[in-house]
Amino acid sequence: QVQLKESGGGSVQAGGSLKLSCAASGFTEKTRCMGWLRQAPGKEREGVGTISTNDGRTYYIDDVKSRFTITQDNSKTTVFLQMNSLKPEDSGMYYCAATTNELCDISGAGGILKYGSRGQGTQVTVAS
């Protein structure tokens, strides 16, 4: 079982930035694809983006492309979500998720959304 722990959430004004971190319990087959999900109040959880920890290849949903960046550290057990130009609609609970590499290619970050292990989440609030 993969253990994931998020940190770095908080409150920020619109246009501001936040950086989230996610530490995985290890680098295994089940952490070859890592990424982020989010859920706003009253809405369904959605994928935000993924990173293939083997080669660093990233994917983002259109809504965050050019504003959000996912990176990883050299150990490949910690991933980061740099969020810039934040909007109030970016508010919600952000979850780190991980799954196997072949599921990284599903659009909409569907692999981690449907099949991934998740952390407890960290709250992001963007004030207008």
Side-chain angles (χ1 to χ4, degrees), residues 13 20 26 34 44 49 65 68 81 86 89 103 113 123:
Q13 293 290 319
L20 308 183
M34 294 184 67
E44 291 188 358
K65 207 174 291 185
F68 290 10
L81 178 64
L86 282 161
E89 51 264 41
L103 296 177
L113 179 62
Q123 181 69 38

Side-chain angles (χ1 to χ4, degrees), residues 23-98:
S25 54
F27 181 57
T28 72
E29 289 300 315
K30 294 183 178 180
T31 61
R32 293 292 195 264
C33 178
M34 294 184 67
W36 296 88
L37 313 172
R38 66 183 181 184
Q39 187 167 19
K43 295 189 176 181
E44 291 188 358
R45 189 174 295 135
E46 64 174 350
V48 174
T50 59
I51 185 166
S52 175
T53 55
N54 282 340
D55 58 16
R57 179 169 46 94
T58 54
Y59 165 86
Y60 305 94
I61 60 171
D62 287 344
D63 187 44
V64 306
K65 207 174 291 185
S66 81
R67 299 190 298 122
F68 290 10
T69 304
I70 299 174
T71 57
Q72 62 180 341
D73 72 352
N74 289 336
S75 72
K76 302 184 180 183
T77 60
T78 301
V79 297
F80 307 95
L81 178 64
Q82 176 68 48
M83 302 184 292
N84 299 327
S85 301
L86 282 161
K87 306 174 183 179
E89 51 264 41
D90 292 319
S91 297
M93 188 68 78
Y94 280 69
Y95 300 90
C96 178

Side-chain angles (χ1 to χ4, degrees), residues 3 19 26 99 115 128:
Q3 303 294 323
K19 186 173 184 177
T99 188
Y115 308 109
S128 58

Side-chain angles (χ1 to χ4, degrees), residues 92-108:
M93 188 68 78
Y94 280 69
Y95 300 90
C96 178
T99 188
T100 52
N101 186 61
E102 67 275 13
L103 296 177
C104 240
D105 292 328
I106 298 177
S107 64

